[in-house]
Structure formats: C-alpha cells, structure tokens
Amino acid sequence: MKKVFNGFSVALLIFLALITVFPFIYMIMTGLMTYAEATSIPPSFIPSSFQFSNYLEVFSRAPFLRYFGNTLFVSLFTTVATVTTSLLAAFAVTSLQFKGKNIVMMILVSLLMVPYESIIFTNYQTIAQLGLLNTYIALIIPFLTSIFYIYYLNGYLKGIPSTFYKAAKIDGASDLEYIRRILVPMCKPALVTVGILTFIQSWNSFLWPLLVTNTKEFRLLNNGLSAFTTEAGSDVHLQMAAATLTVIPILLIYFVFRKEIIRGVAKNGIKG
C-alpha cells in the first residue's frame, strides 16, 4: 500500500510539474516561430526552424536594452539597500537593549498585515509632491527596506548565541565590526536568500513603476513589455520573444542560487 501511495505521489508531482513548466516552454518555442506558425490552428509546439531573428526585431522595435539597464540598476540598488537595512534593523531588535523594544517589534509585525495596495497611492502622492516623478529615486525610495525581511532575519539571528556578541564587545569590537566580521559570515545563507528574493521582486515589479514613470527613459522591463505588447499588435511571436527576454535572467538566477535559497529558508525554519 505504501509503494502504491508513493508511486501515486510521484506521478502527481510529475503531472503538476509538467503543468507548471509547459507555459514557459511554449512561450520560448513560440518566440522562435514565424508568425504563421505562432497563429496556426491547431497550434504548433515546435518551430520548423528557429527564428532567432525575432529577438533582433524586438530590440529594433523597442529600446529593450534601455529597459534592461534601468531594471538592472534599480534591482541591484534596491537589493543592496534592503539587505543592508534589514540586517542592521534585525541586529538592533535582536542584540541591542533599548526602551520600547517590544513595542517596536509589535508595530513591525502589525505593519506586515497592511496590504501594499492600501498605501501605494499615499506613496505616489508623496513622490509627486516632492517632484520626483520620472526619476530613479522614485523607483527606489519605497523599497529601501522591508519589514518582512527584517522579521525574517530577526528569526534567523535569534538562533545565533548571544555569547558571540558579548565576546566581541569584550574584545573591543564595535557593533559594525561585529556585524561585518562575525554576523555576516554566520548568516550568509539568509542574506543570500533575502538578496535573491529582493532582486526577483524588484525585477518583476510592475504597478509602482507604472505609476511613477511615463517616459521610455525610466521605464522598467515589465512596463516596457506591456507597452510593446500593445505596440506589437497581432505579432504573437514577437510578444513571446519579448516575454522570454524578461523571464530568462530570473530563471538563470534561480538555477544558480537555488541551493542557497533552500538552505537559507530551511535553516531559518529549523531555528524558528
């Protein structure tokens, strides 16, 4: 009976995996088809010949290199800022003793329940009043830190014995030296996880950049893809090629760092 159940579980897992992966494979294949193949009924699943020229045409029709550059800059800056501020805040609420510490943690946890959509227009009004629309600053400022990742790292740092911090202070190390020399190496898996997830979230952002930018000069990749989809009209093969360009970098990042992501999440779960 156990073997039958295990076999059924494996078959179900494979079936669900195929359902999940199929749209990505079909998107990539369609991006390499001709217009006739992409719109044929019944649909074609494998192109008769790979049309890599579709990608050249995508770049010629829209400034995707500019979109890539904007998205990469904003994502990297946001990632570095989020990792830094989240680590410093998590260290403060974990290792430092100050009045109102429990109140601060209670406020942070309560803010996790506030939907992002409920404050996005308030943020927009603030950015607009400051005259920062259509700037990189507008794309970056709201994402310089993350309460969720502060809480995540707080749970991770609680698993590190306080004796390390006390010993460092006895040796005359400052808080920043302790963080740089001891804390960062010890919680590297968690920091890598925070960095990768923040980068992916920033790379896939759509609503906020759509609100604060309305020129191609500051447009991010997903917004550029949305505009290109409208401009390309019925050219399905070009739309799929453009969509593939936005997805491949994230897939590469995941495949390279997937072990670090799993290690960081699993280790935090064990400690928490």
Side-chain angles (χ1 to χ4, degrees):
M1 184 67 182
K2 186 176 181 180
K3 291 183 178 179
V4 174
F5 179 77
N6 290 339
F8 175 77
S9 299
V10 172
L12 179 61
L13 182 62
I14 294 174
F15 176 71
L16 294 177
L18 290 175
I19 293 177
T20 304
V21 173
F22 175 76
F24 294 98
I25 296 178
Y26 183 69
M27 175 185 67
I28 295 172
M29 291 294 102
T30 305
L32 295 171
M33 294 179 183
T34 62
Y35 173 79
E37 291 174 330
T39 57
S40 64
I41 299 176
S44 301
F45 294 102
I46 300 177
S48 57
S49 61
F50 294 113
Q51 303 294 321
F52 292 102
S53 58
N54 290 345
Y55 292 95
L56 296 177
E57 188 170 353
V58 166
F59 281 107
S60 65
R61 286 199 182 188
F64 270 91
L65 285 178
R66 178 75 183 190
Y67 301 158
F68 267 103
N70 290 342
T71 308
L72 183 62
F73 171 74
V74 172
S75 299
L76 288 176
F77 195 99
T78 302
T79 299
V80 173
T82 299
V83 171
T84 302
T85 56
S86 299
L87 176 60
L88 293 176
F91 163 76
V93 297
T94 303
S95 302
L96 301 182
Q97 300 299 325
F98 54 90
K99 189 175 181 180
K101 179 177 178 179
N102 293 332
I103 297 177
V104 171
M105 281 302 301
M106 183 177 64
I107 293 174
L108 289 177
V109 173
S110 64
L111 288 175
L112 287 174
M113 305 179 196
V114 178
Y116 171 70
E117 291 77 8
S118 65
I119 62 173
I120 189 170
F121 291 107
T122 302
N123 290 339
Y124 172 79
Q125 289 178 351
T126 303
I127 293 296
Q129 291 172 359
L130 293 174
L132 297 176
L133 295 179
N134 289 313
T135 63
Y136 290 116
I137 297 177
L139 294 168
I140 293 172
I141 278 184
F143 309 102
L144 291 179
T145 191
S146 168
I147 296 176
F148 173 78
Y149 292 129
I150 292 173
Y151 186 72
Y152 167 75
L153 290 176
N154 176 53
Y156 196 95
L157 296 183
K158 283 182 178 179
I160 299 177
S162 60
T163 52
F164 286 99
Y165 178 65
K166 295 178 181 178
K169 298 302 290 184
I170 292 173
D171 288 340
S174 65
D175 289 340
L176 290 179
E177 287 177 331
Y178 166 73
I179 293 173
R180 180 170 58 87
R181 296 183 179 182
I182 300 175
L183 208 58
V184 170
M186 294 186 68
C187 61
K188 184 178 178 181
L191 295 178
V192 171
T193 300
V194 171
I196 293 173
L197 295 181
T198 302
F199 184 89
I200 292 174
Q201 182 181 6
S202 181
W203 185 276
N204 292 329
S205 60
F206 178 81
L207 181 57
W208 178 252
L210 183 65
L211 287 175
V212 298
T213 61
N214 51 30
T215 63
K216 291 183 178 181
E217 183 181 359
F218 297 99
R219 187 176 288 170
L220 298 190
L221 197 56
N222 280 322
N223 305 113
L225 175 62
S226 177
F228 178 79
T229 301
T230 303
E231 296 168 1
S234 60
D235 292 334
V236 179
H237 58 308
L238 297 183
Q239 296 175 15
M240 291 298 182
T244 302
L245 290 173
T246 66
V247 172
I248 286 180
I250 295 300
L251 292 179
L252 292 177
I253 290 174
Y254 171 74
F255 283 122
V256 172
F257 295 103
R258 67 187 185 280
K259 292 183 179 179
E260 283 75 9
I261 296 176
I262 295 173
R263 188 182 300 118
V265 174
K267 197 170 183 180
N268 184 68
I270 294 173
K271 289 181 178 182

